[in-house]
Amino acid sequence: MTKLTSSRVAIDASPLLPAARPIELRYQVGGRGAPLVLLHGGWGYGFYPHADAIAKLDRRFLIPDRTGYGGSPHIAELPPKFHLAAAIETEKFLDALGVQRSVLWGHSDGAVIATILALRDPERYAGIVVEAIHLDREKPRSRDFFLQMINDPDACGERVTRKLAEEHGEDYWRTIIRAGGRAWREIAATPNEDFYEHRLHEMRVPMLVVHGADDPRTEPGELDRIRREVPTARIEMIEGGGHSPHSARATAAQVTAIVDGFLTSLDERRKLDGDGVSE
C-alpha cells in the first residue's frame, strides 16, 4: 500500500501571497511511476482525501497544499482570480520539484485550476481529470452555502468543523473558509467573466470529467458547456455521487476504476507516440 510522507519545497513567490518571498509549500508524496498531481478543493485536501485511489493506483502521487491551506502559509483573503493565481503557484511548485510532465487530478476549485493549467501549457500535461468542475460563476443554488461559509462557518456541523480544524488549525480554519465564501460571492457578482478566459474550446489535453449526478454545487445544464466546447472530453456521471465521488464510500472504488482506465489509455497513447512522462 502506498504510504504518503510530508515534505516542503520553496518557490520564489506566489500570487496567492504576493507580499511574502520566498514561499514554502507543504506537500505530500508517495508511490512510484509517472507523477499524478492531486489539486484539492476549497476546503483543503484532508477533507476529501483520495485514499482509495492512492491505495490502488500505481502512480507517484504529489499533493500540494496551496497557499492558505493545510501546512502552507496562511492568508487572510483569496485574491481576485484566485484560480489563476493558484495555477501559477502550481507551475512554480512543479518547477521546483523538476516535474516536467504529469497528469493532473483536480477536485472542485482544483478542477478549475487543472483546466487553467492545461490551457496555459498543454505540452506539460499528459492528461487531466476534472472532478466537480465549476463552469458557471453565478450559482444560485449555492448562494446560501457561500453565505454560511462567510457568516457562520460553525453551522456546518461538528463533524465538518472538527475535520477542518485538524487540517488547517483550530485558530485559523474559519479564516480560510470565510475567505473562500467571500471569493465565491465576488465570483457570482461577475457572471460575464470566465474562469477560462473564453479559451475552453482550445483544450488540447486529454480530459476526463468525473461528476457526481447529485452534486449540490452544480447548476442545471452546467456541464453542457464542456460537451459543446470540448467534444473530445470523456464525461462520466456518477449515479448517487455528490460533490466528492472520489472520497465517498459508496462511489470511491468506481471513480478509481474510471481514472485507472483513463490513465491506462494515456499510457497507451504515450507508447504509440513514443513520448515520455517523467519528472
Side-chain angles (χ1 to χ4, degrees):
M1 181 175 178
T2 298
K3 181 180 180 181
L4 297 178
T5 60
S6 181
S7 190
R8 309 188 77 83
V9 66
I11 60 175
D12 62 343
S14 171
L16 289 170
L17 189 60
R21 293 173 180 263
I23 295 284
E24 190 175 70
L25 299 176
R26 176 186 176 265
Y27 68 100
Q28 298 177 75
V29 59
R32 62 183 183 178
L36 179 57
V37 183
L38 304 182
L39 303 177
H40 63 74
W43 281 9
Y45 175 75
F47 198 86
Y48 296 118
H50 290 68
D52 189 82
I54 290 170
K56 296 176 180 176
L57 299 180
D58 189 19
R59 296 281 156 166
R60 181 171 184 252
F61 292 90
L62 295 169
I63 314 171
D65 288 341
R66 292 196 298 276
T67 293
Y69 293 88
S72 291
H74 293 176
I75 55 179
E77 295 290 345
L78 289 166
K81 296 186 177 181
F82 76 87
H83 296 98
L84 174 59
I88 293 169
E89 178 181 277
T90 303
E91 291 170 342
K92 290 174 177 285
F93 166 77
L94 296 174
D95 288 343
L97 294 184
V99 177
Q100 299 173 359
R101 193 159 162 82
S102 61
V103 175
L104 306 175
W105 182 349
H107 171 246
S108 193
D109 282 334
V112 177
I113 295 162
T115 304
I116 292 170
L117 285 165
L119 290 169
R120 283 172 58 87
D121 191 355
E123 298 304 321
R124 185 165 194 169
Y125 309 103
I128 60 171
V129 179
V130 294
E131 180 185 0
I133 190 172
H134 301 291
L135 296 135
D136 293 355
R137 295 173 66 86
E138 189 176 18
K139 290 179 172 279
R141 297 202 306 177
S142 295
R143 186 175 297 120
D144 290 344
F145 174 74
F146 295 136
L147 288 175
Q148 179 178 295
M149 288 172 62
I150 297 168
N151 298 320
D152 190 10
D154 288 271
C156 293
E158 193 273 336
R159 183 189 68 85
V160 170
T161 59
R162 182 179 69 251
K163 291 184 70 173
L164 291 171
E166 291 171 356
E167 175 82 354
H168 309 297
E170 180 61 46
D171 296 332
Y172 172 70
W173 72 266
R174 295 175 185 85
T175 299
I176 189 59
I177 296 304
R178 286 182 170 125
R182 286 191 292 269
W184 270 98
R185 181 180 61 187
E186 294 305 311
I187 287 169
T190 54
N192 293 326
E193 295 184 15
D194 181 36
F195 295 118
Y196 313 109
E197 298 180 332
H198 304 287
R199 294 181 57 220
L200 189 61
H201 66 281
E202 298 176 16
M203 178 63 67
R204 291 166 41 203
V205 177
M207 183 182 202
L208 169 64
V209 180
V210 177
H211 211 93
D214 301 323
D215 188 345
R217 303 282 77 80
T218 302
E219 294 298 315
E222 187 167 357
L223 294 184
D224 289 345
R225 182 178 171 193
I226 292 180
R227 296 185 177 97
R228 182 174 65 251
E229 296 190 35
V230 193
T232 58
R234 174 181 168 187
I235 300 178
E236 294 282 353
M237 299 299 295
I238 309 301
E239 292 302 320
H243 188 56
S244 179
H246 76 262
S247 62
R249 183 177 301 176
T251 54
Q254 180 185 358
V255 172
T256 298
I258 291 169
V259 172
D260 189 24
F262 178 68
L263 295 174
T264 298
S265 72
L266 296 178
D267 292 341
E268 292 170 351
R269 174 184 293 202
R270 173 179 57 84
K271 292 174 183 177
L272 288 173
D273 294 342
D275 191 13
V277 181
S278 61
E279 295 182 58

